[in-house]
Amino acid sequence: MADEVFSGGVSVTGVEPGTTTIAIKSTTNPNISKKVPVTVLSRNLLSYGPASGNGLTVTVAQDGSLDFSSGTESVPLYKGVRWEFDVPEGIVGVPLIISYTGDVPGNLVIGIYANANSLGGVYQGKNNTVVTIPKGTTRVELRILRGGVTAGSVSGNLKIQLELGNTAHEWMKPDVTSLEGGGVN
């Protein structure tokens, strides 16, 4: 019997990230079977964690979402927090969608930046924005800024997601929620 050769790959989508096992069995030869350990990654490609700057403090909630608070302090216009992280493999030059769910204050703008240039963003009244990371980009930034026309306080919780394609799906916690962020200058 000749060995079977498969081209392409196996894609595993899980409801929750973590480790599991895939059972592979031949339909033509019942003696051929294998259990293969796999790691299921989040569809959410973002990396973030605690951050503070410009009067805004961000913490990671139990479910992996982000809690925002400035207390009584006023956050200056177009200032806030940011996280810089390596571009995940295979996402340069392809459509990605950034989306959010949650209690977004009407004055927060969430954007993806590459080489200090905005690729696109979302805010109250504008969600599900398709962006493309330019070829040659190795690092990107997630920025959350105070928009609007006046400075003010910020409070709320957001579930932010960046994923492959041009259709937003149900939010998943990113694989990395411990990346230290800082202020946007």
Side-chain angles (χ1 to χ4, degrees), residues 12-81:
V12 178
T13 302
V15 175
E16 291 189 29
T19 57
T20 189
T21 302
I22 295 178
I24 301 172
K25 295 181 181 185
S26 171
T27 57
T28 58
N29 184 341
N31 294 326
I32 299 175
S33 69
K34 180 77 176 171
K35 289 191 178 206
V36 180
V38 295
T39 300
V40 179
L41 300 176
S42 174
R43 82 169 70 82
N44 191 343
L45 302 169
L46 293 175
S47 294
Y48 55 64
S52 63
N54 300 300
L56 182 60
T57 299
V58 180
T59 57
V60 178
Q62 184 80 20
D63 66 358
S65 62
L66 295 174
D67 286 327
F68 297 85
S69 177
S70 65
T72 58
E73 192 167 339
S74 185
V75 178
L77 282 176
Y78 308 110
K79 299 290 184 183
V81 294

Side-chain angles (χ1 to χ4, degrees), residues 72-97:
T72 58
E73 192 167 339
S74 185
V75 178
L77 282 176
Y78 308 110
K79 299 290 184 183
V81 294
R82 70 181 186 94
W83 298 264
E84 187 176 1
F85 55 95
D86 292 336
V87 174
E89 188 175 325
I91 70 166
V92 172
V94 299
L96 305 168
I97 189 164

Side-chain angles (χ1 to χ4, degrees), residues 44-182:
N44 191 343
L45 302 169
L46 293 175
S47 294
Y48 55 64
S52 63
N54 300 300
L56 182 60
T57 299
V58 180
T59 57
V60 178
Q62 184 80 20
D63 66 358
S65 62
L66 295 174
D67 286 327
F68 297 85
S69 177
S70 65
T72 58
E73 192 167 339
S74 185
V75 178
L77 282 176
Y78 308 110
K79 299 290 184 183
V81 294
R82 70 181 186 94
W83 298 264
E84 187 176 1
F85 55 95
D86 292 336
V87 174
E89 188 175 325
I91 70 166
V92 172
V94 299
L96 305 168
I97 189 164
I98 184 168
S99 62
Y100 72 87
T101 56
D103 178 23
V104 60
N107 48 26
L108 281 184
V109 178
I110 304 150
I112 300 294
Y113 287 74
N115 305 316
N117 297 312
S118 175
L119 302 178
V122 292
Y123 48 86
Q124 188 174 29
K126 181 183 180 193
N127 200 353
N128 304 326
T129 299
V130 176
V131 299
T132 303
I133 297 173
K135 290 187 188 294
T137 304
T138 59
R139 300 204 33 97
V140 292
E141 282 184 22
L142 169 64
R143 292 185 187 178
I144 301 175
L145 309 174
R146 175 77 161 83
V149 293
T150 59
S153 62
V154 173
S155 174
N157 174 275
L158 289 175
K159 294 177 177 177
I160 305 167
Q161 183 155 280
L162 179 68
E163 61 184 300
L164 289 168
N166 55 14
T167 302
H169 294 89
E170 184 177 336
W171 179 81
M172 286 181 85
K173 173 184 172 183
D175 292 323
V176 178
T177 58
S178 58
L179 179 66
E180 291 285 330

